[in-house]
């Protein structure tokens, strides 16, 4: 057997071996999460196309939710009973908006870069807007916003480029 044939045979055997290993282990590292809680869906709503890219929802009460669409600087007020958008509050330019939380008449909007927009009296025509760049770290990718109480927001991180442990979840707290 010459050198070329031996090389091709070796490469072929290595490729075949790797293929067999992949076939044998393909389901070994896939797992399914089983929640310990029983979830009972009571009602489902189908949102209009303009709300297709929703990235944040906040329940306002009285059959209303406030929604933030991923790419537009608009808060949509959606009535669950009538299944219609009843108000649109334009507060900013196009961006990557990821979350909304509301405390009485103050709306907090989170962008993926960690910028928080605070809109005082957001349902009135004379609302006031202040934006704060909370983080200046391009390695953080914010995804969710949650109001804990009148003075504290939690901001979830979708991806943290420095993080070595894939099982960890990073959450930042901000006093407002």
């Amino acid at each position: 057997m010459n050198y070329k044939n031996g090389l091709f045979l070796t490469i072929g055997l290595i490729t075949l071996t790797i293929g067999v290993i992949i076939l044998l282990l393909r389901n070994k590292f896939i797992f399914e999460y089983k929640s310990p809680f029983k979830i009972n869906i009571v009602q489902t709503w189908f949102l209009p196309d303009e709300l297709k890219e929703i990235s944040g929802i906040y329940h306002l009460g009285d059959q209303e939710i406030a929604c933030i669409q991923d790419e537009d600087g608009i808060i949509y007020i959606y009535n669950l009973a009538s299944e219609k958008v009843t108000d649109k509050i334009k507060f900013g330019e196009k961006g990557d908006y990821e979350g909304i939380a509301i405390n009485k008449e103050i709306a907090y909007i989170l962008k993926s870069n960690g910028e928080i927009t605070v809109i005082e009296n957001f349902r009135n025509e004379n609302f006031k807007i202040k934006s704060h760049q909370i983080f200046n770290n391009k390695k953080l990718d914010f995804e969710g916003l949650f109001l804990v109480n009148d003075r504290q927001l939690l901001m979830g991180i979708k991806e943290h480029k420095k993080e070595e442990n894939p099982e960890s979840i990073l959450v930042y707290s901000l006093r407002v």
Side-chain angles (χ1 to χ4, degrees):
M1 183 178 334
N2 66 26
Y3 175 75
K4 269 188 175 177
N5 289 342
L7 180 64
F8 286 128
L9 182 61
T10 303
I11 291 172
L13 287 173
I14 290 172
T15 303
L16 181 64
T17 303
I18 291 172
V20 168
I21 290 171
I22 290 171
L23 279 173
L24 291 174
L25 297 178
R26 73 178 180 266
N27 292 326
K28 183 84 172 162
F29 299 104
I30 297 174
F31 65 93
E32 186 176 323
Y33 174 75
K34 301 225 188 248
S35 174
F37 307 104
K38 182 174 175 15
I39 298 171
N40 184 22
I41 299 172
V42 177
Q43 189 168 354
T44 303
W45 292 274
F46 295 97
L47 301 176
D49 285 342
E50 68 184 321
L51 299 179
K52 196 172 195 169
E53 291 294 322
I54 271 188
S55 56
I57 296 177
Y58 191 88
H59 184 252
L60 295 170
D62 296 330
Q63 295 290 327
E64 284 187 318
I65 57 174
C67 309
I68 191 83
Q69 202 261 14
D70 185 42
E71 299 167 352
D72 296 330
I74 300 171
I75 298 173
Y76 295 87
I77 306 299
Y78 183 78
N79 187 292
L80 298 170
S82 68
E83 297 186 357
K84 292 185 179 174
V85 173
T86 57
D87 199 7
K88 295 180 187 180
I89 303 156
K90 181 152 178 58
F91 66 89
E93 302 300 317
K94 289 200 175 286
D96 189 9
Y97 299 100
E98 297 297 342
I100 183 170
I102 296 174
N103 181 15
K104 299 174 183 126
E105 293 301 316
I106 301 172
Y108 300 94
I109 310 294
L110 175 68
K111 281 179 121 176
S112 64
N113 66 359
E115 180 181 300
I116 298 278
T117 300
V118 181
I119 309 167
E120 294 179 20
N121 297 313
F122 75 99
R123 293 191 86 168
N124 297 330
E125 283 184 28
N126 305 351
F127 59 79
K128 294 179 184 174
I129 300 174
K130 294 178 190 169
S131 290
H132 308 281
Q133 184 62 51
I134 306 299
F135 295 93
N136 217 4
N137 184 344
K138 295 186 191 299
K139 295 180 180 179
L140 298 175
D141 188 3
F142 289 86
E143 187 66 29
L145 184 65
F146 180 75
L147 183 68
V148 178
N149 56 44
D150 288 352
R151 304 291 304 153
Q152 185 179 15
L153 292 170
L154 297 180
M155 298 167 289
I157 306 292
K158 178 170 97 174
E159 187 175 337
H160 188 281
K161 309 287 192 292
K162 282 185 179 178
E163 188 58 47
E164 299 298 324
N165 184 353
E167 295 176 5
S168 68
I169 298 171
L170 294 177
V171 177
Y172 285 91
S173 174
L174 177 67
R175 285 244 178 251
V176 292

